[in-house]
C-alpha cells in the first residue's frame, strides 16, 4: 500500500500540471472579459488600456508560464518569508487578483475560516446524521422510520437550496426573528455569548447544507447496506450465534462502506470549494461566493488558482479513498 | 463679486454647522450598517470604475466638486466652482483654475496641497497603469500647482465643458505621499494603498475584506468637527438584490440597501413590513432597444456579419423601425418592471431638463394599428397566413432579440415579443450572461458590441450632467468592426454625415442655449425621428433605508453616498 | 486489520443472476414474469410508477386538454390566485380561465407547469441516462481492467476539477450556432443543455461504480467465474453489472433530481433555454421572490420536482428488490 501511495503521489504531479494547463486554456477560451463589470461609460480606448495593464495582450503560453512561476515559486517563498521572517520573495510579483488588485492567496486565506465553519460543519453534520439513518433504514427496511427518512431525504435533495434557503429566511428571520439572515464574517468567538451568536448565524445555512448532504449520503448507505444484508456471510455470522448488533455493525457496515467512502471523499474537496448558492443566499462570503464572483468578473488569476487548489484536493482525496478501500477490504489490490 | 460669494459661503456654512451642532456631535450615533449586494472589491476608483467601488470610495476619497441631487455643481474640496464669470475658466476655454478650501487635512493630519491634485493626474495618466478614469482627463495636456492651494488644468483645445477632471466620485483626489510608489504598472501591487486609502472624507478604513466587509471609523481629522454622526460604518457585500431588500425592509438588520432592482410589487410588499422605506430618484439611465442597421445573419461569413458591408435587409427601412416603436406599450413596461421608480421615455438623453427633447407624445403612443399600417406601406404583408409578414421578395420579418440575463429584462422580452408578434413579426429571444454580454471579449459572439442579433436591449447612462461624449458615440469611426477588434460604442452602426456635422457644432460651442438646441436635435435624430434607438424606460435609482436613518438624499448625478457625513440616527 | 478477512463475504459464492445458459431461453419469459410479480408487491414502487406515468401523460397530453399557450400574456389578468383560494378567501382575485392562477405578466400557471414539465422531464431523463451510461462505462472499465484504471481515473479527476460555468460557456460558444443551424433554436439548445449536464455529472457515478467493482472483483464468485475462463465481455454484463446496480440506481435517482435543478441554475445564468421556455426549475426560481405573497407559484413546481424524484426513487427500490433473487422469494 505504501509503494502504491508513493507511486500515486509522484504520478499526481504531471497529472496536476496537465489539469492546470487544461483549466487555463479553458478559461482563456471562455467568452467573457474582465471589463464586463466596468460601466459602459468608460470609453473603448481606456478599456483596451486597462486590459493591457492586466497583461491580457501577452500570448497564452507567456501568461500560463507566469502563473506557474508565481504559483509554484513566488507563493511558497511568501509562505517561507511569513514563517521565518526572511525576505526571499521581496520584489517578486505574486498572483494578483484582477478584481481586487491584491494577492489571490491572501484573499483565499481570509475566506477559508467562514467556509470551513459553515460548509465544513454542515458536511460533518450531514455525514454524522446520514450514516445512522442509512443503517437504520436498511436494517428496518420499509418501516415507518425508513419511509419517513426516504421521504425527507428525497425532498431534501430534490428541492434546490436557492429555494430552501429563502424559505427558511422568510420563516425564521422575517416572521419569527430567531436567526439573522446575514452572516457576520467579522464576528470573533471570544466568549459564550459570541459563541451563541456564531451558532445562531450558522444555524440556517448549516441546516440547508446538512439536509442536502445527509440526503445524498444516507441513500448510498442504505442501498449498500441492503445489498450486503442478504449476503451469505451475514447468514453464516447469524448462524454462528452472533447477536444482530455485531452482525450489522461489524460485518455488514464494514462491507457496505465502499460506495459511502467514495461519496464522502468526493464531497470533501467540495467543502473547500464552498457551497456557491447557499453562501450567496446567506451572504456567508466564503470560497464558493469568491469563486462565483470571480467567474462572473472574469478574474482569471483568481479562478485559475481556486480551481487548481480544488483539483489538488480532488486528486488527494481520491487517493485517500483508494487507500481506504484497501483498509476496508484488504483483498483490493492495485497492482 | 468673488469676495461676496466667498463670504456668503462662509456665512451659510457657519449657519449650517450651527444648526447641525445642536443635533449632532461626531460619533454619537454609533454604528451604521450598509449593505451592497454587489460587494466592493477595491477602494480606488482609478483602478475600478465599477459603481459599487466608486460608491464605497466616496466615504473616504473626495473630489474638488460634486453634483448635488438637483444636478447642480457644488464645491467640495474646492472653495468655489470656477466659471467664466469669476475668472476661474479662461476666456479662450483652454484652462480652468481650482482653489482648494483652506485648512483641509488628510486623515493622517497632513495638509492637502495642490501637489496632491497634480499627483492624482500623474497617477491616472501614467504609462501602463490602465486607469479606469482616463476618460476624465481626455484633452488635458497639463495639470500644475500654481501655489499650495491653487491648481491649473490646461487643455489642448478649447473645452466648453471643463468641469470634468476631479469632479464627481469617479475622480477624487488621492494622497501623493501614500501612492508615490504606485505609479504605472506598480499600481496593482499597492494592496495597502488600494484597500486602505488615506482620504479627506468623513470616514477612514479600519479593516478591508475584499468582496465581503469593510469597516470604517469616523475620520478624526474631518473638516467639520461635528460630523459624521456615526462613529463606525460596516459595509457588507454579497447576495442578491432581493436578499438586500429583505434585510433592510423586512428584518431591519441593515440601515441602507443599495440598488434594489426588483419588481415593484415585490418591493412594495417588503416595504409593507414597516422597517424601512424605499427611496428613488431619476438620473440619465435609459433602458433601450438598439436596432442593428447591419445584417447579423449567420449565413454571412465570419468577419462580415454585423458590419457596414451588409446593410440590414429590413431594419434599414424607417417605417419598420417606427412600427417596432409604436407597437410597444411603454406604460405597461413601467408598471411591470419599475412602478414608481420608472417612467416611459423615448429619449436617449432623458435629463437634465436643458438637454431633454420633448418625448411625451412618443412615450405615450401605443398604436399597433398604425404600426401595421406602416408595415403595409413598407410592403410587408402576411401572404402565406403564418402570422409573419413578408414582402414581395419573400423577405420575412424575423428577428433575434437579445439581452442580458436579468429577471426584469426577461419580463420585458416576453411582453415586447408578444406585441411585436401581434403586428406580424417573428421574434426569437436570447438572453446572455451579463459577464459575457457586457464583457466586450472580441472572441465571443454574444457581446453588445458584436451585436449578432437584430435588436438588443440594455441600459446605459452618462456621468455627470454633460451628454457630449454620450452623443459623440454615434459616428462612423466608432462603429465596432473586425478592423478595430469590435471596440466602439456605436452599436447601431449609425453613419450619417449630417449627424456628424451637427455633432461638431455641438462640441465647438460654449453658448448654453445653442448647446441645448443641438443636443436635443442630436437626441431626436437617433430616437424620435428615426427610431434607431428605441427608448423604453427612464430608470430611476432605487435604494432603501431604515426608518431610523435620517439625512439620506439620493443623488443620481454623483456617488449615492455623497452626503454620508450628514447621515444620522433618528430617535423614534 | 487481521480480522478483516473474517468480516469479508467469505461464503458469498452465490451468483445474483443464476441459471445456466440452456435454461435461460426457456426461463427468460418466466423470469421477467417473476420480476414483474415481485415489483407489483412493492407498494411504493407501484405508486411511484403510477404517479410517474400520470405526470408524463399530463405533460405530453396536457396541451391538448388545457389549450392555453404558456407564453400568452394576459396583463389584465395578472397575479390571479388559484381557484381553490376562493374557498377560504372570498375576496381573492380568481378566474376559471386560470385555475391555478397567473403570474405577474398574466401567464397561466397550469399551462406553464405542463410546458415546463415536458422540458424538465425530457432534460432530466436524457441528461441522467447520458451521465449514467458514461459513468457506468468508465467506472466498470476502470475497476475491472487495472491497466485502464490509471488513465480513466485521472481523466475523471480532470473533469471533476474543471469549473462548470466556463466549461458550459465554451461549449455554448463552440457549438450553439452550428446546433441551432442543424436542429433549430429549441432542439439545438436542448441538445446542448442535455450534453452539458450529462458530461459534467457522470464522475461521481464512475468513482462509485469503480469502488464497487474493485471490491467485487476479489469476491469468490468472480474468481470462480474467472477460473472457468469466463471472458470479460460475458463477465461484466452477467456478474459485475447486476451487483453494482443498487449504487447505480441511487445515482440515477439523485442524478435525475440534480439534472432538473441544474437546468434551472443554467437558465438563471443565461445558459439555459430562452426566457420564453418555462421549466419547473425556472418557475420555482422565478417565483422565489414572491414566495410569501403567492405561495402557489413555488408549491406547484416544487411539488412536481419532488414527487417526480420521489417516485423515481421508489421505482428504483422496487426494481432493485425485484431483480434480487434472494429477496424475490420472500
Amino acid at each position: 500500500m505504501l509503494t502504491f501511495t508513493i507511486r500515486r503521489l509522484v504520478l499526481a504531479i504531471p497529472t496536476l500540471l496537465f489539469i492546470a494547463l487544461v483549466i487555463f486554456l479553458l478559461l482563456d477560451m471562455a467568452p467573457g472579459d474582465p471589463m464586463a463589470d466596468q460601466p459602459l461609460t468608460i470609453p473603448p480606448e481606456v478599456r483596451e488600456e486597462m486590459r493591457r495593464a492586466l497583461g491580457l495582450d501577452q500570448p497564452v503560453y507567456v501568461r500560463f508560464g507566469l502563473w506557474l512561476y508565481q504559483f509554484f515559486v513566488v507563493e511558497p517563498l511568501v509562505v517561507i518569508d511569513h514563517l521565518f521572517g526572511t525576505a526571499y520573495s521581496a520584489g517578486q510579483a505574486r498572483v494578483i487578483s484582477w478584481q481586487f488588485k491584491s494577492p489571490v492567496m491572501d484573499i483565499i486565506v481570509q475566506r477559508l475560516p467562514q467556509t470551513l465553519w459553515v460548509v465544513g460543519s454542515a458536511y460533518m453534520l450531514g455525514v454524522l446524521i446520514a450514516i445512522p439513518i442509512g443503517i437504520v433504514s436498511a436494517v428496518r427496511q420499509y418501516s415507518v422510520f425508513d419511509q419517513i427518512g426516504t421521504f425527507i431525504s428525497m425532498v431534501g435533495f430534490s428541492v434546490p437550496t436557492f429555494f430552501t434557503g429563502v424559505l427558511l429566511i422568510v420563516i425564521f428571520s422575517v416572521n419569527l426573528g430567531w436567526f439573522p439572515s446575514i452572516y457576520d464574517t467579522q464576528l470573533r468567538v471570544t466568549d459564550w455569548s459570541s459563541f451563541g451568536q456564531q451558532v445562531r448565524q450558522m444555524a440556517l445555512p448549516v441546516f440547508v447544507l446538512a439536509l442536502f448532504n445527509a440526503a445524498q449520503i444516507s441513500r448510498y448507505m442504505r442501498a449498500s447496506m441492503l445489498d450486503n444484508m442478504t449476503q451469505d456471510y451475514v447468514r453464516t455470522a447469524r448462524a454462528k450465534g452472533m447477536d444482530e448488533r455485531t452482525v450489522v455493525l461489524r460485518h455488514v457496515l464494514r462491507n457496505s462502506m465502499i460506495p459511502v467512502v467514495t461519496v464522502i471523499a468526493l464531497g470533501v474537496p467540495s467543502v473547500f470549494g464552498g457551497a456557491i448558492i447557499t453562501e450567496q443566499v446567506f451572504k456567508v462570503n466564503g470560497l464558493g461566493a469568491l469563486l462565483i464572483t470571480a467567474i462572473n468578473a472574469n478574474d482569471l488569476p483568481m479562478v485559475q488558482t481556486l480551481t487548481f487548489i480544488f483539483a489538488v484536493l480532488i486528486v488527494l482525496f481520491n487517493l485517500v479513498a483508494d487507500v481506504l478501500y484497501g483498509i476496508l477490504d484488504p483483498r483490493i489490490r492495485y497492482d | 463679486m468673488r469676495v461676496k460669494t466667498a463670504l456668503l459661503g462662509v456665512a451659510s456654512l457657519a449657519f449650517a454647522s450651527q444648526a447641525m451642532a445642536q443635533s449632532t456631535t461626531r460619533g454619537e450615533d454609533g454604528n451604521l450598517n450598509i449593505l451592497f449586494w454587489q460587494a466592493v472589491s477595491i477602494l480606488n476608483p482609478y483602478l475600478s470604475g465599477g459603481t459599487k467601488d466608486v460608491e464605497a470610495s466616496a466615504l473616504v476619497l473626495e473630489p474638488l466638486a460634486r453634483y448635488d441631487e438637483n444636478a447642480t455643481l457644488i464645491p467640495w474640496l474646492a472653495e468655489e466652482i470656477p466659471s467664466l464669470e469669476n475668472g476661474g475658466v479662461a476666456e479662450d476655454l483652454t484652462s480652468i483654475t481650482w482653489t482648494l478650501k483652506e485648512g483641509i487635512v488628510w486623515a493622517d493630519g497632513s495638509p492637502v496641497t495642490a501637489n496632491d491634485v497634480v499627483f492624482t493626474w500623474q497617477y491616472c495618466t501614467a504609462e501602463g497603469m490602465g486607469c479606469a478614469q482616463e476618460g476624465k482627463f481626455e484633452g488635458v495636456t497639463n495639470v500644475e500647482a500654481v501655489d499650495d492651494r491653487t491648481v491649473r488644468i490646461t487643455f489642448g483645445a478649447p473645452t466648453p465643458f471643463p468641469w470634468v477632471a476631479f469632479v464627481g466620485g469617479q475622480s477624487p483626489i488621492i494622497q501623493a505621499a501614500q501612492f508615490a510608489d504606485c505609479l504605472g504598472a506598480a499600481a496593482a501591487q499597492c494592496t495597502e494603498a488600494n484597500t486602505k486609502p488615506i482620504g479627506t472624507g468623513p470616514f477612514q478604513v479600519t479593516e478591508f475584506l475584499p468582496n465581503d466587509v469593510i469597516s470604517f471609523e469616523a475620520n478624526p481629522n474631518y473638516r467639520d468637527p461635528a460630523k459624521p454622526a456615526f462613529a463606525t460604518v460596516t459595509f457588507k457585500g454579497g447576495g442578491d438584490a432581493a436578499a438586500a431588500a429583505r434585510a433592510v425592509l423586512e428584518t431591519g438588520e441593515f440601515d441602507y440597501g443599495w440598488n434594489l432592482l426588483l419588481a415593484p410589487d415585490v418591493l412594495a410588499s417588503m416595504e409593507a413590513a414597516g422597517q424601512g422605506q424605499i427611496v428613488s430618484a431619476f438620473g440619465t439611465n435609459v433602458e433601450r432597444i438598439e436596432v442593428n442597421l447591419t445584417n447579423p445573419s449567420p449565413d454571412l461569413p465570419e468577419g462580415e456579419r454585423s458590419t457596414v458591408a451588409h446593410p440590414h435587409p429590413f431594419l434599414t427601412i424607417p417605417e419598420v423601425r417606427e412600427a417596432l416603436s409604436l407597437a410597444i406599450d411603454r406604460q405597461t413596461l413601467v408598471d411591470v418592471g419599475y412602478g414608481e421608480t420608472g417612467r416611459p421615455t423615448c429619449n436617449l438623453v432623458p435629463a437634465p431638463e436643458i438637454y431633454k427633447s420633448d418625448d411625451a407624445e412618443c412615450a405615450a403612443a401605443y398604436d399597433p394599428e398604425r404600426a401595421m399600417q406602416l408595415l403595409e406601406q413598407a410592403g410587408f404583408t402576411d401572404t402565406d397566413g403564418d402570422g409573419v409578414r413578408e414582402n414581395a421578395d419573400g423577405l420575412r420579418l424575423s428577428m433575434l432579440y437579445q439581452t442580458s440575463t436579468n429577471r426584469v429584462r426577461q419580463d420585458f422580452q416576453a411582453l415586447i415579443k408578444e406585441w411585436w408578434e401581434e403586428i406580424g413579426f417573428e421574434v426569437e429571444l436570447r438572453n446572455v450572461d451579463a459577464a459575457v454580454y457586457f464583457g466586450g471579449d472580441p472572441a465571443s459572439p454574444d457581446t453588445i458590441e458584436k451585436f449578432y442579433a437584430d435588436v438588443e436591449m440594455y441600459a446605459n447612462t452618462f456621468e455627470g450632467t454633460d451628454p457630449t461624449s454620450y452623443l459623440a458615440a454615434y459616428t462612423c469611426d466608432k462603429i465596432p468592426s473586425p478592423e478595430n477588434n469590435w471596440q466602439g460604442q456605436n452599436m447601431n452602426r449609425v453613419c450619417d454625415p449630417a449627424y456628424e456635422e451637427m455633432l461638431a457644432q455641438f462640441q465647438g460651442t460654449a453658448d448654453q442655449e445653442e448647446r441645448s438646441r443641438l443636443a436635443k436635435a442630436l437626441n431626436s435624430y437617433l430616437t424620435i425621428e428615426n427610431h434607431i434607438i428605441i427608448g423604453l424606460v427612464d430608470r430611476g435609482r432605487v435604494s432603501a433605508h431604515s426608518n431610523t436613518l435620517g439625512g439620506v438624499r439620493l443623488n443620481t448625478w454623483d456617488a449615492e453616498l455623497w452626503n454620508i457625513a450628514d447621515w444620522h440616527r433618528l430617535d423614534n | 486489520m487481521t480480522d478483516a478477512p473474517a468480516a469479508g463475504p467469505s461464503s458469498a459464492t452465490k451468483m445474483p443472476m443464476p441459471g445456466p445458459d440452456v435454461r435461460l431461453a426457456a426461463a427468460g419469459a418466466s423470469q421477467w414474469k417473476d420480476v414483474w410479480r415481485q415489483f407489483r408487491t412493492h407498494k411504493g414502487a407501484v405508486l411511484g410508477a403510477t404517479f410517474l406515468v400520470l405526470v408524463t401523460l399530463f405533460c405530453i397530453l396536457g396541451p391538448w386538454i388545457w389549450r392555453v399557450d404558456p407564453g400568452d400574456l394576459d396583463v389584465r389578468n395578472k397575479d390571479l390566485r388559484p381557484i381553490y383560494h376562493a374557498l377560504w378567501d372570498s375576496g381573492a382575485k380568481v378566474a376559471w380561465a386560470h385555475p391555478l392562477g397567473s403570474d405577474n405578466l398574466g401567464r397561466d400557471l397550469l399551462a406553464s407547469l405542463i410546458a415546463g414539465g415536458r422540458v424538465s422531464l425530457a432534460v432530466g431523463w436524457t441528461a441522467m441516462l447520458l451521465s449514467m451510461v458514461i459513468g457506468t462505462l468508465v467506472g466498470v472499465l476502470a475497476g475491472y481492467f487495472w491497466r485502464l484504471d490509471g488513465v480513466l481515473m485521472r481523466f475523471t479527476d480532470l473533469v471533476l476539477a474543471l469549473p462548470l460555468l466556463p466549461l458550459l460557456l465554451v461549449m455554448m460558444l463552440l457549438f450553439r450556432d452550428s446546433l441551432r443551424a442543424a436542429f433549430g433554436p429549441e432542439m439545438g439548445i436542448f441538445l446542448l443543455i442535455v450534453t452539458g449536464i450529462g458530461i459534467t455529472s457522470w464522475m461521481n457515478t464512475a468513482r462509485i461504480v469503480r469502488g464497487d467493482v474493485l471490491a467485487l472483483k476479489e469476491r469468490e464468485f468472480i474468481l470462480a467465474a474467472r477460473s472457468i475462463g469466463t471472458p470479460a465481455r460475458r463477465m461484466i454484463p452477467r456478474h459485475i453489472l447486476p451487483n453494482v446496480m443498487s449504487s447505480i440506481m441511487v445515482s440515477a435517482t439523485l442524478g435525475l433530481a440534480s439534472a432538473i435543478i441544474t437546468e434551472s441554475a443554467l437558465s438563471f445564468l443565461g445558459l439555459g433555454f430562452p426566457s420564453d421556455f418555462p421549466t419547473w426549475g425556472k418557475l420555482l426560481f422565478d417565483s422565489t421572490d414572491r414566495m410569501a405573497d403567492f405561495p402557489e407559484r413555488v408549491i406547484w413546481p416544487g411539488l412536481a420536482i419532488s414527487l417526480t424524484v420521489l417516485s423515481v426513487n421508489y421505482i428504483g427500490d422496487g426494481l432493485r428488490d425485484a431483480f434480487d433473487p434472494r429477496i424475490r422469494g420472500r
Side-chain angles (χ1 to χ4, degrees), chain A residues 31-33 36 38-41 46 50-51 99-103 110-111 114 180-183 185-186 280 283 285 293 296, chain B residues 41-42 48-49 130-132 188 191 207 209-213 215 236-239 243 247 253-254 435 439 441 444 461 463:
Chain A
D33 193 276
Q38 299 295 315
L40 294 173
T41 45
V46 176
M50 289 171 78
R51 280 195 194 101
Q99 290 172 87
F100 312 131
K101 313 280 190 255
S102 49
Q110 220 171 63
R111 294 294 184 99
Q114 48 260 42
S181 74
I182 289 169
Y183 189 91
T185 37
Q186 285 174 309
Q280 254 195 338
K283 279 137 313 245
N285 293 340
T293 43
N296 283 333
Chain B
S41 329
I42 192 166
S48 166
C131 176
T191 310
E207 189 183 11
L209 303 175
N211 268 22
D212 185 12
V213 198
S215 300
K236 173 87 178 173
E253 287 165 272
F254 278 76
D441 179 359
S444 163
T461 181
E463 283 165 10

Side-chain angles (χ1 to χ4, degrees), chain A residues 90-275:
Chain A
Q92 303 251 46
R94 301 178 62 184
V95 186
I96 297 281
S97 151
W98 290 349
Q99 290 172 87
F100 312 131
K101 313 280 190 255
S102 49
V104 165
M105 289 311 284
D106 289 0
I107 299 165
I108 294 177
V109 170
Q110 220 171 63
R111 294 294 184 99
L112 204 55
Q114 48 260 42
T115 290
L116 289 186
W117 265 102
V118 174
V119 188
S121 55
Y123 197 67
M124 291 218 306
L125 194 69
V127 172
L128 288 180
I129 299 175
I131 291 181
I133 289 185
I135 296 173
V136 177
S137 292
V139 173
R140 307 199 191 288
Q141 197 189 5
Y142 304 132
S143 65
V144 180
F145 181 90
D146 180 31
Q147 303 286 14
I148 292 175
T150 303
F151 185 80
I152 292 179
S153 56
M154 278 299 131
V155 172
F157 192 83
S158 62
V159 178
T161 46
F162 66 72
F163 172 69
T164 29
V166 178
L167 180 71
L168 290 179
I169 287 182
V170 167
I171 296 175
F172 292 105
S173 301
V174 176
N175 290 330
L176 296 174
W178 291 354
F179 302 109
S181 74
I182 289 169
Y183 189 91
D184 177 6
T185 37
Q186 285 174 309
L187 184 72
R188 302 276 172 274
V189 177
T190 49
D191 50 14
W192 281 110
S193 88
S194 60
F195 179 75
Q197 243 178 310
Q198 175 69 13
V199 169
R200 275 188 357 148
Q201 69 172 351
M202 276 169 58
L204 294 183
V206 165
F207 178 78
V208 169
L209 284 174
L211 180 68
F212 191 78
N213 286 326
Q216 191 183 8
I217 297 167
S218 68
R219 295 320 290 169
Y220 282 109
M221 188 76 239
R222 174 181 180 271
S224 181
M225 286 286 285
L226 281 177
D227 267 359
N228 278 291
M229 292 289 279
T230 50
Q231 297 287 348
D232 295 329
Y233 73 88
V234 178
R235 207 176 307 156
T236 315
R238 283 195 188 121
K240 280 202 302 193
M242 275 184 191
D243 68 304
E244 191 63 20
R245 202 183 170 77
T246 325
V247 173
V248 171
L249 292 184
R250 279 197 53 165
H251 298 269
V252 181
L253 181 60
R254 181 167 192 163
N255 280 293
S256 314
M257 281 308 277
I258 283 185
V260 180
V261 162
T262 317
V263 178
I264 295 177
L266 276 168
V268 175
S270 55
V271 169
F272 288 86

Side-chain angles (χ1 to χ4, degrees), chain B residues 378-381 383 390-395:
Chain B
F380 290 95
T381 40
T383 44
E390 49 273 301
N391 70 1
D393 308 332
L395 178 66

